[in-house]
Amino acid sequence: MIPRLHPARKKKLKPFGFIKGSSRKGRFYRKSLITILLIASIPGLITGMTMYWLVIGQMEKEFNRLHQNQIMNRAENLADQFSYMELSLSHWAFEPRFGEELKEMDYVYQFTETVDIMKTLYVLQGSNPLIQKVELYLNEPRPILFNRSYSELTDLSQIDSYNEYLRDGSHIYWTDRIPGQPLAERETKSAEDNSAHLLHTDPGEALVLVHKIPGGSLSPFGALIVKLDNKKVTNLLKTLTPYDQGSTFLMDQKGNILLSGGDHEGSSSKQLNEKIRQKVDLSRDKGSLLYTFEGISYSVSYGKMNRIDSNWFYVSAAPITDITAPLLSVSKGIVLMSTAGLLLAILLSWLVSRRIYTPIERLLRLLSAESAGNTGNSPVVSAVNVDEFELLEAQWNELVMERSTVRKRLELQLPQLRNGYIMQLIQGHQSAHSEEDLRQRLEDLGFRVRDQQFLLVRLQLTGYSKLSGRFLEQDRGLVTLTVVNIIEEFAEQRFEQACVLNFHDLSAAILLTGEEEKLKSSVLEWSEELMVVINQIMKMNVTIMVGRPTSSVRDIPSLFMELEQAEAFHSIEELNQLLDLDHLTLAHDIEHSSYPFLIERDLIHAIRTGKEEEARDLLREFVKQVTQRQCKIYQLQQMMLQLLASMQYMMLQSGIPPYELFSGRNLYDELAQLREPLQIEAWLKSEVITPFITFMEERSHSGLKPAVERTMERIDQQYMTDISLEACADLEDMTPYALSKAFKQVAGINFIDYVTFRRMDKAKRLLRESDLKINEIADQVGYQHSYFNRIFKKQEGLTPGQYREQWNR
């Protein structure tokens, strides 16, 4: 839209006849333009031809030299990547945890050690971005595979494929045989590849690095198997090709292509790589050559890459034609443009006087027509005394007015921009900027930062779960917004500058500025008043954490992190709390809070036996015991996480992997997000206890469950006697095998393990609560004294005497 003329700027326009009728001015412009075109065209012709005939050949030689130097540096980086991976794997292979003791380990019973091994494999997998998967294979005492989980191998072909890793190569070697590859497929590939080398010729297969364990042993019984991500290795290989064009591949010492990458695809890529491979001299450590394929010239650079078990060769082919093509195009373009300029000079000699002002004339007519429409006059009358510059000036004034309007709109959006930037600042997303840059950005957003102290306050609402009658669960964001509005209004009355951040989860943060002497005391006083206001309006309790003042903007993220850590140290009681980080020592302000082991034991037993109501009551009692001890939030979370771990361990003993039961959910992460005891109790009931008991009931057979329950009651009453599976089976008119199988299905534990569990439970209680001798306790739980010591140490890891001494310490 053409801007309207300001009323004060409206004048009559002069006639436009002089634009078309001045032949003298037309001749002047014709001569001037022809002169300019001639001066620009003739040097252009000379320059274009010189570039075309002389520069191209020199560029090809120079590019070949630069390409070789550049590829050598990048190839060293690629070799360093593989060397680092080999060194890291060797380091892990010599770790004590991968030593001879793996032969003797019971991976089901020693659950903690099994988890540590899997964690170690995850750490090794994450140590290098090129690694796709890390596996640990053991063939003694039985074939075992650690991948994403622990599993025992039973498929003979799969076992044989993993055993080949122990038979092939030296202690550490490279191969392209994928773990678990079928035997038939391996035999077919071996028949096609006549060489006995471990690396074959198919560039599409992934590279695998194998290290036998224990490291340095003459009789290895396992292997760490590292499979590389073929796509990432290919992308890394592409870095050897400048400008993301051409082709790059790796060869073994016999000239077989291992991996290839580049912008060629399909049969064209294979033909190019094969032609270049035949030209490479493998007897030299490095070299370069020029090769033409399908009309495109390539600069080929290659060199040796020493690996731990063999020598590889890298080859990079970069198209020189793609580099020189722009110069050729430019030179041709200059020649064509210069020629066209000469022709254009002749053509424009008679058109310039008519055409040179046509756009300006059209613009003036549009502006004069807009002005005439505002005044009601004809375009000719309204355009008498106005020239083009006055119209352009009027348009400029209109743009200035529009800029003012945009600025006002920006000022309305400034609070949202400030809050967004402060949110990024406290979360550490602006840490790359210097102190001066951060201060300048704050000033641009309207903050006064000179001679000012900064102080962060974090606020957390509590007691929301008790307000179920007033608010719904999905109203948390609305409640938080209401509290944030209260804080903003209340802060404006006390502080000149305050920025309130809404976290939408019943918490908020406030960034306050002020003078150093008064800021901290004013904030503490204001915080106490704020708690009273929120109590009166929202009927909720609040915990306010006041950080340490600082004069550096770069310290704000670390101070916010301290506030987040301090949040875990407030009491779980439903009351107002004001925490001052200057007077809160997080490392020593830890109150003693003992763990209710006895309630946990009864709770685990109730869950295992499917007594849901009893389990709910015991869980309620467990939470009650914990909260009555006035523990901190972090202590409550640690105890509840320990209880969840005990539940999952019981599930594993029952033959039900928690990973399958809960569909791979991270229960620990979900539990760590909960902070109120009632929320934690409800979550454990609905998300852990009920699903497990329901699954156990569905799995158990309705006809066998009463018999198993009677057998369990009989064990609970007679565990101190010489009770046996055969005797219990006779009482139920069943075979010992049928009763044993039904007992495992219903109770989730073997018959003898349950008897041992009841006896050990009674023995530990007597060791803790009585002064009986060890042999007397053994008699009361149905064991001989010597056997009692052995089985107690096997179950608990301590002798009975050590257990009593540790408990009474």
Side-chain angles (χ1 to χ4, degrees), residues 176 189 200-207 230-231 233-234 237 248-251 256-261 269-270 273:
D176 60 351
K189 183 172 181 179
H200 304 291
T201 60
D202 186 358
E205 292 189 358
L207 292 176
N230 202 23
K231 183 177 181 181
V233 176
T234 302
L237 191 61
T248 307
F249 56 91
L250 289 178
M251 299 190 304
N256 298 319
I257 297 179
L258 305 177
L259 285 173
S260 64
S269 175
K270 294 182 179 179
N273 293 344

Side-chain angles (χ1 to χ4, degrees), residues 374-416:
N374 293 336
T375 59
N377 300 326
S378 64
V380 178
V381 175
S382 61
V384 174
N385 295 322
V386 178
D387 61 18
E388 59 270 24
F389 296 103
E390 290 181 337
L391 289 176
L392 293 176
E393 182 182 359
Q395 183 181 12
W396 173 261
N397 293 332
E398 186 72 18
L399 291 175
V400 170
M401 295 177 62
E402 291 181 1
R403 184 186 65 175
S404 177
T405 303
V406 172
R407 177 173 293 180
K408 291 180 180 179
R409 293 177 180 175
L410 180 61
E411 291 176 353
L412 295 176
Q413 299 295 326
L414 185 60
Q416 287 79 5

Side-chain angles (χ1 to χ4, degrees), residues 23-36 345 348-354:
S23 59
R24 183 181 300 174
K25 185 178 291 186
R27 287 194 299 270
F28 169 77
Y29 280 115
R30 281 198 300 270
K31 293 179 181 179
S32 299
L33 187 57
I34 291 172
T35 303
I36 294 173
L348 293 180
S349 61
W350 62 277
L351 292 175
V352 64
S353 61
R354 296 190 336 84

Side-chain angles (χ1 to χ4, degrees), residues 23 84 102 121 240 383 394 408 414 447 479 524 681 707 715 799:
S23 59
Y84 176 76
L102 292 179
L121 295 181
L240 297 181
K408 291 180 180 179
L414 185 60
F447 283 95
V479 172
L524 292 174
E681 178 184 345
I715 294 174
T799 64

Side-chain angles (χ1 to χ4, degrees), residues 71 119 127 171 217 297 369 387 413 425 438 475 625 663 672:
I71 294 308
K119 288 182 178 179
S127 64
H171 259 73
S217 174
S297 297
D387 61 18
Q413 299 295 326
L425 175 64
L438 294 175
D475 292 337
Q625 288 288 334
S663 303

Side-chain angles (χ1 to χ4, degrees), residues 460-463 543 545 564-575 577 579 589-591 593 626-627 629-641 671-680:
Q460 179 69 51
L461 298 174
T462 58
T543 298
M545 291 150 285
E564 289 184 323
Q565 295 174 351
E567 184 181 355
F569 283 79
H570 79 79
S571 175
I572 62 175
E573 296 181 301
E574 300 292 343
L575 47 79
Q577 300 178 65
L579 304 179
D589 189 18
I590 302 178
E591 301 178 1
S593 181
V626 171
T627 54
R629 303 169 193 262
Q630 298 182 351
C631 62
K632 306 297 184 183
I633 285 293
Y634 80 95
Q635 292 174 320
L636 171 65
Q637 291 180 332
Q638 290 177 355
M639 293 183 185
M640 302 313 293
L641 288 172
L671 179 58
Q673 303 301 319
L674 305 178
R675 298 183 178 276
E676 298 188 12
L678 294 179
Q679 286 182 311
I680 296 175

Side-chain angles (χ1 to χ4, degrees), residues 461-473 476 506 539-541 572 574 675-682:
L461 298 174
T462 58
Y464 184 82
S465 58
K466 294 184 178 180
L467 301 177
S468 57
R470 296 180 57 195
F471 302 110
L472 300 177
E473 184 66 24
R476 287 175 174 265
L506 301 180
K539 308 300 181 185
M540 296 178 66
N541 296 313
I572 62 175
E574 300 292 343
R675 298 183 178 276
E676 298 188 12
L678 294 179
Q679 286 182 311
I680 296 175
E681 178 184 345

Side-chain angles (χ1 to χ4, degrees), residues 336-356:
L336 293 176
M337 290 177 63
S338 300
T339 304
L342 292 174
L343 298 175
L344 188 61
I346 299 173
L347 178 63
L348 293 180
S349 61
W350 62 277
L351 292 175
V352 64
S353 61
R354 296 190 336 84
R355 288 297 199 183
I356 196 169

